[in-house]
Amino acid sequence: MGELIRTVVADDHYLVREGTRQLLEMSGEVAVVGAVGDADELLDAVRRLGPDVVITDIRMPGGQWRQGFEGIDAAHRIRSAHPGVGVVVLSQFSDALFAFELFKHGTEGFAYLLKDRVGDLDELLGAIRAVVSGGSVIDPKVVEGLLARRDVRGQQEALTTRERDVLREMAHGRTNSAIARALHLSISSVEKHVNSIFTKLGLENSGDVHRRVAAVLAYLGPEPS
């Protein structure tokens, strides 16, 4: 077994914090080196403990932070001061505006997951592995909502059901080979779907995983006013 992923968990609810700690440590891949209850404690823990990754709630107590965006603001400060630390933000909000707020300065090393993913250990571990390696993840439910909004506006050629499946996997930060395994497709089939997605979305294809996520986010983002 390789080295455990050193992790700090931040959530103002004790039971959620400890439940997440226990779940992660049961995986055998993660060592939770710190668990804190607010954004100030989170920054201090990162400075003192030097984790590989942080898992933080989107909302936490703290007077000096933007109300409702404490976790996101802390994530930006962590990545600025400690660029090697990945950050997974957990949120109860599927509204894409919160995800775009997280990714507004770049996608590398960030993940935005809905809180109900915490109970799915494979999903959570996948996001942790992605951000530790500099990749990025956005919750597929958020992507689906964005696609639906675009379809209603008539600003894209509708994606097929399979293309939507592939796009959701891309949002997870997965490579074509990983998408093929997840969807039980051949790699060549995945490549065709990816090319079709980028053509329909008017995007340049890229083999770089986090840039693919960034490109999709950029296209699906809020319309200019």
Side-chain angles (χ1 to χ4, degrees):
M1 182 184 298
E3 291 187 7
L4 298 179
I5 301 172
R6 291 168 50 82
T7 304
V8 170
V9 175
D11 196 294
D12 61 321
H13 294 285
Y14 175 80
L15 292 178
V16 174
R17 198 164 64 236
E18 290 305 306
T20 303
R21 177 209 287 271
Q22 293 178 24
L23 182 68
L24 290 171
E25 292 190 333
M26 284 172 54
S27 72
E29 292 187 40
V30 174
V32 178
V33 297
V36 300
D38 64 46
D40 294 322
E41 291 177 349
L42 174 57
L43 293 185
D44 181 63
V46 171
R47 180 186 57 80
R48 290 186 295 103
L49 301 172
D52 302 307
V53 64
V54 163
I55 300 173
T56 179
D57 192 5
I58 193 171
R59 286 185 169 176
M60 289 183 291
Q64 64 171 312
W65 305 85
R66 287 187 302 161
Q67 186 174 4
F69 293 89
E70 296 89 353
I72 288 176
D73 289 346
H76 290 152
R77 287 181 63 175
I78 289 167
R79 287 290 297 171
S80 177
H82 311 277
V85 178
V87 182
V88 178
V89 173
L90 299 176
S91 173
Q92 64 268 43
F93 305 110
S94 59
D95 188 329
L97 291 177
F98 290 96
F100 287 117
E101 185 69 16
L102 176 65
F103 293 119
K104 67 181 180 180
H105 300 307
T107 63
E108 186 173 353
F110 286 124
Y112 184 91
L113 294 183
L114 297 183
K115 264 198 160 181
D116 57 13
R117 301 289 179 190
V118 173
D120 189 329
L121 185 57
D122 289 339
E123 293 280 352
L124 186 54
L125 288 175
I128 290 171
R129 296 186 201 108
V131 298
V132 166
S133 63
S136 54
V137 173
I138 180 171
D139 197 286
K141 289 184 180 178
V142 177
V143 174
E144 188 65 31
L146 290 167
L147 282 169
R149 187 175 68 188
R150 284 282 181 173
D151 284 344
V152 168
R153 290 175 178 170
Q155 294 177 359
Q156 71 174 62
E157 181 181 351
L159 301 181
T160 66
T161 299
R162 182 56 82 184
E163 287 167 353
R164 287 173 176 269
D165 292 340
V166 170
L167 182 61
R168 282 193 293 269
E169 296 299 319
M170 288 169 58
H172 271 292
R174 292 185 175 130
T175 62
N176 287 353
S177 59
I179 294 172
R181 290 193 298 272
L183 298 180
H184 307 290
L185 297 171
S186 68
I187 293 179
S188 61
S189 293
V190 172
E191 290 172 348
K192 289 177 182 177
H193 288 309
V194 170
N195 288 334
S196 177
I197 289 166
F198 277 111
T199 297
K200 290 179 178 181
L201 297 184
L203 299 169
E204 181 179 353
N205 202 347
S206 169
D208 187 292
V209 175
H210 75 80
R211 286 185 181 175
R212 295 202 304 181
V213 175
V216 172
L217 280 168
Y219 181 85
L220 295 175
E223 291 298 310
S225 55

